[in-house]
């Protein structure tokens, strides 16, 4: 089980490295990493687990955040409308995206960043993604809103990019052209 002590923090070299593609069939270790990432997110939304293990809530976590340079991440999002979005993505990529941008008005956070970083992080409003599941089956999804933002945030982790790299530090709340702000409940 992943705990907060297992999540590396900003400044750790694994957060700035481009992660390696994963080979199929998955090794026992790679499968465990993938399953543990998703389980952490589920546990981080369970008040009993949060209190007992002092977990920070998350909607996404990538393998480099637990010091594993693999192209694996998990998302677990409960949105007010629609079904929860919960999946493991192995060797994920964005195959198309909208021209329109969005950003979270409250800014983004990260389990590897222990400070509040102010500013707008521009993201694509809608994306179409491809990735592989634990069995090596390719799947395709269309994501929008918070799910789209979270996918892009985690994909950045696989490429050694932190969310605050996208913020204009000279003007953190500068208007983002062709964008619609998004409020997170």
């Amino acid at each position: 089980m992943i705990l907060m002590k297992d999540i590396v923090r900003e400044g750790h070299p694994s957060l700035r490295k481009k992660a390696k593609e994963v080979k199929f069939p998955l090794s026992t270790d790679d499968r465990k990493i993938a399953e543990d990432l998703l389980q952490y997110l589920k546990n981080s939304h369970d008040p009993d687990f949060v209190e007992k293990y002092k977990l920070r809530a998350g909607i996404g976590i990538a393998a480099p955040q637990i010091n594993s340079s693999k192209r694996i991440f998990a998302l677990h999002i409960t949105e007010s409308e629609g079904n929860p979005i919960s999946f493991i993505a192995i060797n994920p990529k964005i195959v198309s995206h909208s021209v329109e941008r969005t950003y979270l008005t409250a800014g983004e956070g990260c389990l590897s960043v222990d400070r509040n970083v102010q500013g707008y992080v521009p993201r694509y409003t809608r994306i179409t993604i491809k990735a592989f599941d634990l069995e090596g089956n390719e799947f395709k999804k269309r994501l929008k809103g918070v799910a789209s933002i979270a996918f892009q945030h985690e994909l950045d982790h696989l490429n050694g990019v932190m969310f605050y790299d996208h913020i204009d530090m000279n003007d953190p709340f500068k208007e983002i052209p062709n964008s619609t702000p998004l409020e997170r409940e």
Side-chain angles (χ1 to χ4, degrees), residues 35-159:
E35 290 171 343
D36 284 353
L37 291 172
L38 184 57
Q39 193 59 54
Y40 173 87
L41 297 175
K42 290 177 178 178
N43 290 346
S44 81
H45 290 267
D46 178 323
D48 294 333
F49 268 91
V50 169
E51 187 177 335
K52 183 174 181 181
Y53 297 106
K54 307 292 182 247
L55 304 180
R56 275 178 44 203
I59 60 171
I61 187 170
Q65 292 179 270
I66 58 166
N67 198 23
S68 178
S69 188
K70 310 273 181 144
R71 296 189 75 78
I72 303 170
F73 67 71
L75 293 182
H76 185 73
I77 305 165
T78 311
E79 295 200 62
S80 55
E81 78 289 334
N83 298 321
I85 295 165
S86 186
F87 62 90
I88 293 166
I90 300 171
N91 299 335
K93 47 183 71 131
I94 295 172
V95 294
S96 68
H97 61 78
S98 62
V99 172
E100 184 187 16
R101 300 283 194 138
T102 191
Y103 57 91
L104 291 171
T105 55
E108 291 184 23
C110 180
L111 292 168
S112 292
V113 178
D114 291 331
R115 60 193 174 98
N116 185 15
V117 181
Q118 299 284 314
Y120 297 149
V121 181
R123 302 287 189 185
Y124 299 117
T125 301
R126 292 174 307 285
I127 57 176
T128 300
I129 63 98
K130 279 187 180 174
F132 293 89
D133 67 16
L134 291 173
E135 305 313 318
N137 301 309
E138 187 176 57
F139 63 90
K140 189 174 182 179
K141 288 183 181 290
R142 284 186 152 110
L143 301 174
K144 63 181 183 176
V146 173
S148 172
I149 290 170
F151 188 96
Q152 292 169 77
H153 178 112
E154 299 311 324
L155 188 62
D156 275 352
H157 275 305
L158 303 186
N159 294 318

